[in-house]
Amino acid sequence: MVVVYVMFCLVAIVGVILGIKLAQLIKGNKQVEKELAGLQFEKLPMGTVKTLSILPLIDFYTDDPSLKTEAGVSYFIQAGDTKILMDLGFNKDKEHPSPLVSNAKKLNVSLPDLDFIFISHRHLDHIGGMKEQKTKQFSLSQGKTDLPQITVYSPTRISPSHWNPGPKVEVINTPFELIEGVASIGSIPRNLFILGHTLENSLAVNVAGKGIVLIIGCGHQTIERIIERAQALFDAPIYGIIGGLHFPVKTGRIMLGPLNIQNIVGTHRFPWQGIREQDVKNAIQAVKQVNPQFVALSPHDSSDWSIELFRAAFQDKYHDIKVGQKISI
């Protein structure tokens, strides 16, 4: 009898928590719809860069066994002479040196020589870990990491941890040219189950003679809205789409037993609906409409099934994202 009562109480508690979360989801979705309806932007005048390279320091796959991988993202970007670090990885095991710092050293990337850091959004796999997400901080490693007093651009309030105290944070939500030829497209809101209201920025780099290359952290905004924003801001064509679009369909990179956590928390839908095969197909159609010449999907938050669908759709225009494998535009 006692066991039955305990089980009843547990089920009731879970039911109450789920009910609260579903109510928050519905309310949050309505708020985001209102925010999106109120967004208006004028064209953003933008210069160009002659060269662009993206070196994945953190992602899920590599061909080099000496490099570390994880379900997180960090890209070392060189736009002309400017050196940018986009996102800071996960460091799931709270290591020092972290996978990011370790890989940077092996790939001869000097972190003290960075010009600025760009944080796409404040989720644990992009700012250095779960503790960082809870405390609204960012860490490159769980030990002292020397960084100059450079600017960190973020769509939400965040602070450097005591491990890397040098940088100064600037919150940017509107489209903004960071340096000539490199801009933030401005934050786009989305409400996610469990994770709640999420603001995410993406980078746009205008490569001379080619066009806009979009570099995306997780794509929580949806690729459809990212493309819509880019077309509203820039006259140049979209030449490339590179990074995470969050399609953990059929399986995910972060599993809790049989539960595909990335699928459940990465959508504005009820948890039993999740991210579906049709969402991937719709995204491919949206990308095809702008006819990019370079497409690369991050495996940190997209399944192999989704990647193969993109590969088949874009064929020789598709390129893998792997740690240590430089992408040159």
Side-chain angles (χ1 to χ4, degrees):
M1 191 66 180
V2 174
V3 174
V4 173
Y5 177 75
V6 170
M7 291 297 297
F8 174 81
C9 289
L10 289 174
V11 170
I13 291 170
V14 171
V16 169
I17 294 172
L18 182 60
I20 292 171
K21 288 297 180 183
L22 294 181
Q24 289 174 342
L25 183 67
I26 294 169
K27 181 179 179 181
N29 286 346
K30 290 180 179 178
Q31 177 61 33
V32 165
E33 288 175 7
K34 184 178 179 181
E35 291 176 20
L36 289 169
L39 292 175
Q40 291 184 337
F41 299 103
E42 297 179 354
K43 291 289 183 180
L44 182 66
M46 195 169 167
T48 62
V49 299
K50 292 182 179 180
T51 59
L52 171 65
S53 68
I54 303 160
L55 177 62
L57 298 180
I58 293 295
D59 216 307
F60 198 73
Y61 286 132
T62 185
D63 288 334
D64 185 342
S66 72
L67 297 172
K68 297 183 178 182
T69 61
E70 60 177 359
V73 160
S74 182
Y75 300 146
F76 175 63
I77 300 167
Q78 287 194 268
D81 294 328
T82 302
K83 299 176 181 179
I84 307 162
L85 186 65
M86 178 173 174
D87 292 338
L88 309 173
F90 189 177
N91 198 7
K92 180 176 178 291
D93 296 327
K94 302 177 182 178
E95 297 177 84
H96 181 66
S98 65
L100 167 58
V101 171
S102 175
N103 289 346
K105 183 176 181 180
K106 289 181 180 178
L107 294 168
N108 297 315
V109 173
S110 175
L111 298 175
D113 291 334
L114 293 171
D115 290 297
F116 65 85
I117 294 173
F118 184 87
I119 294 177
S120 63
H121 63 302
R122 202 177 59 198
H123 284 175
L124 75 172
D125 51 336
H126 296 257
I127 60 172
M130 176 64 79
K131 179 182 177 182
E132 281 67 19
Q133 180 172 294
K134 290 179 178 179
T135 59
K136 299 180 181 179
Q137 295 183 322
F138 64 86
S139 297
L140 278 71
S141 190
Q142 292 300 301
K144 183 172 174 56
T145 306
D146 292 327
L147 286 176
Q149 292 187 353
I150 54 175
T151 302
V152 175
Y153 296 103
S154 170
T156 51
R157 185 175 61 82
I158 194 168
S159 303
S161 76
H162 67 285
W163 298 124
N164 39 238
K168 308 299 180 184
V169 177
E170 182 175 337
V171 175
I172 53 169
N173 290 122
T174 56
F176 181 72
E177 189 173 28
L178 306 171
I179 59 165
E180 185 174 357
V182 180
S184 165
I185 67 169
S187 60
I188 300 175
R190 193 173 181 199
N191 186 54
L192 302 174
F193 182 65
I194 301 294
L195 296 174
H197 189 271
T198 298
L199 290 174
E200 184 171 348
N201 285 344
S202 296
L203 279 176
V205 183
N206 192 12
V207 181
K210 294 182 177 178
I212 301 294
V213 177
L214 295 169
I215 309 174
I216 304 164
C218 257
H220 289 306
Q221 317 98 305
T222 75
I223 188 57
E224 291 88 344
R225 287 175 181 160
I226 294 171
I227 289 172
E228 181 183 26
R229 175 70 62 84
Q231 289 179 322
L233 292 174
F234 311 117
D235 290 323
I238 296 176
Y239 181 85
I241 295 175
I242 299 169
L245 296 184
H246 206 97
F247 289 129
V249 177
K250 296 185 181 290
T251 188
R253 308 306 186 186
I254 301 176
M255 302 290 292
L256 183 60
L259 292 178
N260 183 350
I261 300 300
Q262 285 181 319
N263 192 292
I264 293 172
V265 305
T267 177
H268 64 285
R269 302 191 189 107
F270 296 125
W272 50 86
Q273 293 178 321
I275 302 169
R276 301 167 295 192
E277 294 178 18
Q278 190 60 46
D279 295 321
V280 183
K281 295 174 183 177
N282 291 344
I284 288 172
Q285 290 306 310
V287 173
K288 278 188 171 183
Q289 287 179 9
V290 298
N291 192 31
Q293 300 305 299
F294 198 105
V295 178
L297 186 61
S298 168
H300 93 279
D301 62 359
S302 287
S303 64
D304 293 343
W305 180 87
S306 299
I307 289 170
E308 289 309 315
L309 219 62
F310 267 76
R311 191 191 308 279
F314 296 101
Q315 299 183 25
D316 60 338
K317 296 178 181 178
Y318 186 83
H319 303 265
D320 289 319
I321 294 179
K322 294 183 178 182
V323 174
Q325 186 170 297
K326 182 184 289 188
I327 296 169
S328 296
I329 303 296

